[in-house]
Amino acid sequence: MNAEEERQAGLAMEGDEDLAGPPTKQELDLNQFLPYRLNSLADRISQALAELYEERYQLNIAQWRVLAWLSHCDELTAKKICAYTNMDKARVSRAIQALEERGLISRTPAPEDQRQQDLHLTAVGRKLLTKLIPEAQAWEAELVATLTAGEYRDLLNVMRKLERQLERIGDKG
Amino acid sequence: MNAEEERQAGLAMEGDEDLAGPPTKQELDLNQFLPYRLNSLADRISQALAELYEERYQLNIAQWRVLAWLSHCDELTAKKICAYTNMDKARVSRAIQALEERGLISRTPAPEDQRQQDLHLTAVGRKLLTKLIPEAQAWEAELVATLTAGEYRDLLNVMRKLERQLERIGDKG
DNA sequence: GCTAGTTAATTTCCTGTGCAACTAATTTTG
DNA sequence: CAAAATTAGTTGCACAGGAAATTAACTAGC
């Protein structure tokens, strides 16, 4: 197994000797299986990026997403965030709670419907994002640095196709 | 916001009225942010597929991965599976335990090193895979049905590039 | 051959999250 | 207008999974 095959097999070990053989029989090669490959890749990207929020800003992914959406349309409700991000409402609720406790966002009952609450970034929250967002974007830029413009565009295109196809097949029904 | 934009925004609601406005300000648009987009897509694919294992075979993703690798090289240890799949060893350990309890795999201490155990599919496990693997492959085929051969190939290529780049940047160091 | 490390796997502890039940505000129905 | 249904958000419960401690088997150094 050469280095390239080893990389493809998902092997990322340092001092290893006896992880010898490549697959020999023919049944299902997960490395040829798109759902697995895509998930592995996305997980690793997510996790690497999560360290940026987590270690340096004590934000988990859910919290980061709430903040990012608020940076974007600074007047939202939990429900809208659920819809935009596909996150469970409990997860969103807890993220909001944590962010409010830290003083990064504020919430006020919506005047037209007291069940919902209008969410806003506080000055502190906005300031944090002023630092964090460029870092995240820089990280992303580095990630895609080796892709050509065409490759990047095509990737987004194919992802859109897959999303559309997902909705046709099972995705929740 | 038309249907297409709505889809892109990750909105997948049915009877919704007041989820009106698209983002207006300019800070970080998660939908333009590759890590987020990729993770959303991969999550949804994974979860949709997981229902196939879960509902019909009572297998979670970790267990499915262990089985798939065993279908492939029917003589493995937990450690190798960890290396191949990038899963935590505790997760692998639990998957193996569950699979053994269900009689889908067997484990015997490795003769050359009693700490490790050789894993094998049982007849039952092999039989289950005989049903499950084609179903998974059929599902995948349906997912990628709208992609041209070129798009599919390019997608894998770009994914490889991203994986390589990930290893250069942070991914665990 | 004994002590000190190392390694494979398991277990313990803890956190995050999904689901389902719940609370409170609002809308609909009769 | 009261009762029933719906909706936004919260909370209780259970479970999956990661980090770190633990156990058992092996290796290296002296």
Side-chain angles (χ1 to χ4, degrees), chain A residues 66-67 70 95-96 99-100 103-107 119-122 125:
Chain A
V66 170
L67 286 182
L70 278 171
I96 288 172
L99 293 172
E100 192 197 27
L104 299 175
I105 66 175
S106 67
R107 43 180 170 177
L119 305 174
H120 293 279
L121 288 172
T122 62

Side-chain angles (χ1 to χ4, degrees), chain B:
Chain B
M1 184 182 248
N2 64 31
E4 168 61 9
E5 282 163 345
E6 190 163 324
R7 195 198 49 69
Q8 283 190 35
L11 289 163
M13 324 264 319
E14 23 296 302
D16 263 310
E17 347 64 26
D18 63 317
L19 274 85
T24 51
K25 287 189 188 171
Q26 295 288 30
E27 280 289 347
L28 181 79
D29 183 354
L30 278 182
N31 285 315
Q32 302 290 112
F33 191 59
L34 189 69
Y36 171 73
R37 281 288 293 276
L38 204 57
N39 202 48
S40 276
L41 176 62
D43 262 8
R44 286 169 62 195
I45 290 176
S46 237
Q47 199 171 340
L49 186 53
E51 287 172 17
L52 200 132
Y53 329 132
E54 193 84 41
E55 290 173 3
R56 305 178 52 175
Y57 298 94
Q58 287 76 250
L59 295 172
N60 67 24
I61 292 181
Q63 291 160 200
W64 153 253
R65 287 182 184 169
V66 170
L67 286 182
W69 271 100
L70 277 171
S71 83
H72 200 86
C73 3
D74 181 83
E75 165 101 12
L76 282 175
T77 64
K79 183 183 180 191
K80 285 185 184 177
I81 294 178
C82 289
Y84 294 152
T85 60
N86 268 317
M87 290 194 289
D88 187 86
K89 56 188 184 158
R91 192 179 176 192
V92 171
S93 173
R94 287 163 187 140
I96 288 171
Q97 215 167 334
L99 293 171
E100 192 197 27
E101 274 164 22
R102 283 182 57 187
L104 298 175
I105 66 174
S106 67
R107 44 180 170 178
T108 54
E112 73 280 12
D113 182 343
Q114 303 267 104
R115 283 172 308 181
Q116 33 187 50
Q117 22 195 264
D118 292 333
L119 304 175
H120 293 279
L121 288 172
T122 62
V124 183
R126 199 175 308 277
K127 194 168 169 193
L128 185 151
L129 282 180
T130 308
K131 280 196 66 186
L132 178 45
I133 287 177
E135 288 181 36
Q137 284 172 332
W139 192 92
E140 181 204 19
E142 208 180 339
L143 176 68
V144 302
T146 58
L147 304 186
T148 67
E151 283 173 332
Y152 186 81
R153 178 173 36 71
D154 293 348
L155 174 62
L156 291 179
N157 243 322
V158 165
M159 285 173 61
R160 255 189 293 278
K161 275 192 167 186
L162 290 175
E163 282 163 1
R164 201 169 295 137
Q165 187 68 354
L166 245 189
E167 261 150 48
R168 291 225 252 113
I169 356 175
D171 196 28
K172 300 281 173 204

Side-chain angles (χ1 to χ4, degrees), chain A residues 2 32 35 45 57 60 74 89 104-105 108 116 125 135 141-142 145 158:
Chain A
N2 65 30
Q32 303 290 115
I45 290 176
Y57 298 93
N60 67 24
D74 181 84
K89 56 184 183 162
L104 299 175
I105 66 175
T108 54
Q116 34 188 50
E135 289 182 33
E142 208 180 340
V158 165

Side-chain angles (χ1 to χ4, degrees), chain A residues 21-168:
Chain A
T24 50
K25 286 188 184 175
Q26 295 289 30
E27 280 288 348
L28 181 79
D29 182 355
L30 278 182
N31 285 315
Q32 303 290 115
F33 191 59
L34 190 68
Y36 170 73
R37 281 289 293 276
L38 204 57
N39 202 49
S40 276
L41 176 62
D43 263 8
R44 286 169 61 194
I45 290 176
S46 237
Q47 199 171 340
L49 187 53
E51 287 172 17
L52 200 131
Y53 328 131
E54 194 83 45
E55 290 174 2
R56 305 178 52 175
Y57 298 93
Q58 288 76 249
L59 295 172
N60 67 24
I61 291 181
Q63 291 159 199
W64 153 252
R65 287 183 185 168
V66 170
L67 286 182
W69 271 99
L70 278 171
S71 83
H72 200 85
C73 2
D74 181 84
E75 165 100 11
L76 282 175
T77 64
K79 184 185 180 190
K80 286 185 184 177
I81 294 178
C82 288
Y84 294 151
T85 61
N86 269 316
M87 290 195 289
D88 186 85
K89 56 184 183 162
R91 192 180 177 191
V92 171
S93 173
R94 286 163 187 140
I96 288 172
Q97 216 166 334
L99 293 172
E100 192 197 27
E101 275 164 22
R102 283 182 58 187
L104 299 175
I105 66 175
S106 67
R107 43 180 170 177
T108 54
E112 73 281 11
D113 182 343
Q114 305 265 104
R115 285 171 306 181
Q116 34 188 50
Q117 21 196 258
D118 291 333
L119 305 174
H120 293 279
L121 288 172
T122 62
V124 183
R126 200 177 307 279
K127 194 169 170 193
L128 185 150
L129 282 179
T130 307
K131 280 196 64 185
L132 178 45
I133 287 178
E135 289 182 33
Q137 284 171 332
W139 192 93
E140 182 203 19
E142 208 180 340
L143 176 68
V144 302
T146 59
L147 304 185
T148 67
E151 282 172 333
Y152 186 81
R153 178 175 34 72
D154 293 347
L155 173 62
L156 291 178
N157 243 322
V158 165
M159 284 173 61
R160 256 189 293 277
K161 275 192 166 185
L162 290 175
E163 281 163 1
R164 200 168 295 137
Q165 186 69 355
L166 245 190
E167 262 150 47
R168 292 225 251 113

